Structures are given as structure tokens and as C-alpha cells.
Amino acid sequence: MITYEWLYILAGSFFAVWSLLSLRDRANTKRLGNAGFWGLLAASFLFGSHLPDFGNGLLVLAMVGIAGAGGLGRSNPETTSLEERFNFSALLGNKLFLPALIVPVTAVAGTLLYNYTPLGDTGLFEERRETLILFGVGVVFALAAAMVWLKAPVMAPAEEGRRLLDSIGWAAILPQMLAALGAVFALAGVGDVIGSLAGQIIPDGSVLLTVIVFALGMALFTMIMGNAFAAFPVMAAAIGIPLLVEGYGGNPAVIGAVGMLAGFCGTLMTPMAANFNIVPAALLELKDQNGVIKQQIGTAIPLWVCNVAIIYVAGFLLWN
């Protein structure tokens, strides 16, 4: 059986390769910091499920220490030249994006085939992890297809990946850290406190107002913590499950899915989502560090209003 653990091994292997390549890169004055940071992250993927919580915590603290001390630096490995990239762009145009489409196609088509054909009876994939596993399979297929099609050197994916990863730096793992923070907040009872306050403010029977508070809380908590995955455990425990689902009998699938989308609206408007909003501004060398956010606000607010309407109509009016 192919389990979720296989994805961790796949990701950990890539980070381990980047760590070794960083260690060998004598042109980078911060090669030891890069090697240590990505090596520790590789260890967390490869061995994290076999370590106690305290051991995983030490790995995280060590990574934070390296990043906080300014130990990470950009690398400039020998990959394709700027001229070669322009030539590929002129020759292939938007066809260069075709390998990337293999990933979602594999995940979606593979999941449907597995769940609605006799393949599902084989027990090939861990139950309820099929889509995530097939997503990883799609990444491998896309990489293989790109290598064959473009006839790239064997080490091109590793070196290009390292170049991009070093350009992003510690912000590359910010979503993981913030998602973990959301789980910590939920275990600490933050959701219960917010739910108690919401119960005192929202009048009994006011479904629409409860939906608005839930969606607004998702957006605001996402803006504070930088990630909707971090906000969801808190708001689901506070309002989503006790009030909208159990109290008013709302559709849990709609409330969960569209509630996350309300959180993503907050992602578009916060510098805390550094990997989405600050890193692109840095890579594009924009004069205004918040330039990406300013362009997204005009989309985020109307989209949030649409989310409220969808949750209310599909989650309650059409559900009941």
C-alpha cells in the first residue's frame, strides 16, 4: 500500500538533495546556513513521524535559529543562461506550461478512476489520502515529462529548484509553520473563547449574521496569521461547527470549503502571507513592497462578499 508517508519521503529527498548541493556551493558565502536549514527540513520530512514531539520541536527551533541569525543566502548555481531561457520562451511560448498541467490532471483524473472503478478495491492507496498521493505522483510525472521533452541535464531540476528555493528563503516553509500555529491555537482553546464571545454578540436565530461573522473571522484571522489553514481550526471550533453546522443545521461541506475561500480572501490582503505577497514583490524587485497586496484588494473584497452569499444560499437556503 502506498501511504501518506511516501509523500514525506519524496519531499524530504528533494530537500536533502538541495542541502547537499548547498554544502558543495563554495561560491555562496552562506552555504553552511543553507545546507543546515534545508537539511533540517529534510530530516523533519524523512524522520519527523518517527520522532517524539520534543524532537520535532528541536528541529523547528534549530531552523528558526538559522533563519533568525541571517544564515540563509541566495545561491546562483549554473543552470540555463538568460539567453537560453529567452530562446525556450520564443520557441515554445505557453507550451512551456503543459508539464505543469499534468499535476492537477493526474490528481483529479486519478482520484476519479480510483474511487469509481474496480481499482479502488485493490487497496493500492491509503484510504482518504488518494488525492494527495496522486498529486505527488503527478509531480513526478510532470518532472519526467519535462525532462524528456526539453532534454534538460540530469541535475537541472535540482539546481533550478535550489535557485528558486534560496530566492524565497525561510518564507518557503511559512505555510507549514502557520498551519501548525493554527492547530496550537485550537488546542489551546482560542476557538472556544471566540465562540463564547460570538454567542454573546450574535442574536439567537440570526443565521445570516452568524455567516458574516464566521466569514469575517476567517478573513481577519488569516490576515493575522498569514494562512487560512491556520485560521480554519480556530474559526471552525468557534463558530463553524457549534453554531452553523450543529446549531443551524448548515451544510458542512459548503461551510468548510467556502469558509476556507473566505480565509483566502484575507491571504490576498496581508503581508503576513509573505510567500504569496512579499516574496513576489522581492523577486520582481518592485519599489513598493506591498504593491502585490494593493493590486489584490480590489479582487479580495468582492470575492469575500460572494463567499458570504454562497455560504448562506447553498449552505442553508438550498440545503434545508
Side-chain angles (χ1 to χ4, degrees):
M1 176 187 292
I2 300 176
T3 66
Y4 201 43
E5 185 76 14
W6 288 41
L7 287 182
Y8 288 126
I9 295 173
L10 178 65
S13 299
F14 273 103
F15 284 116
V17 170
W18 288 324
S19 175
L20 292 174
L21 290 175
S22 296
L23 187 62
R24 294 177 54 191
D25 186 4
R26 298 188 179 279
N28 185 359
T29 58
K30 295 187 177 182
R31 65 187 182 94
L32 295 180
N34 285 13
F37 188 86
W38 303 124
L40 289 168
L41 186 58
S44 71
F45 275 102
L46 293 172
F47 312 113
S49 58
H50 306 288
L51 293 175
D53 292 341
F54 184 75
N56 282 304
L58 291 178
L59 289 177
V60 172
L61 290 176
M63 286 189 289
V64 171
I66 293 174
L72 297 178
R74 290 193 179 190
S75 60
N76 189 28
E78 293 183 4
T79 59
T80 52
S81 65
L82 186 61
E83 182 180 0
E84 289 175 317
R85 293 173 195 170
F86 275 121
N87 289 338
F88 269 126
S89 177
L91 179 64
L92 300 174
N94 289 333
K95 293 179 181 179
L96 285 169
F97 293 99
L98 288 176
L101 296 178
I102 295 175
V103 180
V105 169
T106 301
V108 175
T111 301
L112 293 175
L113 286 173
Y114 186 78
N115 288 329
Y116 296 100
T117 67
L119 283 174
D121 298 329
T122 63
L124 179 61
F125 300 130
E126 181 182 351
E127 188 177 358
R128 300 178 65 182
R129 302 291 190 182
E130 300 91 345
T131 303
L132 290 172
I133 293 172
L134 286 165
F135 185 88
V137 172
V139 171
V140 175
F141 284 170
L143 177 58
M147 291 289 288
V148 172
W149 179 35
L150 300 176
K151 298 180 175 59
V154 175
M155 292 302 295
E159 294 289 14
E160 284 287 356
R162 180 166 71 96
R163 180 181 64 83
L164 291 173
L165 200 62
D166 287 347
S167 297
I168 299 173
W170 60 266
I173 65 168
L174 191 59
Q176 286 178 272
M177 296 293 188
L178 292 173
L181 179 63
V184 171
F185 277 16
L187 291 173
V190 175
D192 295 335
V193 174
I194 296 175
S196 177
L197 293 174
Q200 298 176 16
I201 298 173
I202 302 173
D204 291 338
S206 181
V207 177
L208 178 58
L209 183 57
T210 307
V211 169
I212 292 174
V213 172
F214 172 67
L216 183 61
M218 278 297 303
L220 291 178
F221 262 84
T222 299
M223 292 177 70
I224 294 171
M225 295 190 281
N227 192 304
F229 289 98
F232 188 76
V234 175
M235 293 309 301
I239 298 175
I241 296 174
L243 295 181
L244 294 179
V245 176
E246 296 177 351
Y248 298 129
N251 186 328
V254 173
I255 293 169
V258 186
M260 281 293 293
L261 188 56
F264 295 150
C265 293
T267 302
L268 297 174
M269 299 186 289
T270 176
M272 287 297 293
N275 54 320
F276 292 110
N277 301 330
I278 301 304
V279 170
L283 293 177
L284 295 173
E285 298 181 355
L286 300 180
K287 294 181 179 179
D288 185 357
Q289 192 178 34
N290 294 314
V292 174
I293 296 173
K294 292 177 180 178
Q295 293 298 317
Q296 293 174 161
I297 289 177
T299 299
I301 295 177
L303 182 60
W304 179 86
V305 175
C306 291
N307 292 335
V308 172
I310 293 172
I311 294 176
Y312 184 64
V313 174
F316 293 92
L317 297 185
L318 299 180
W319 173 253
N320 296 318

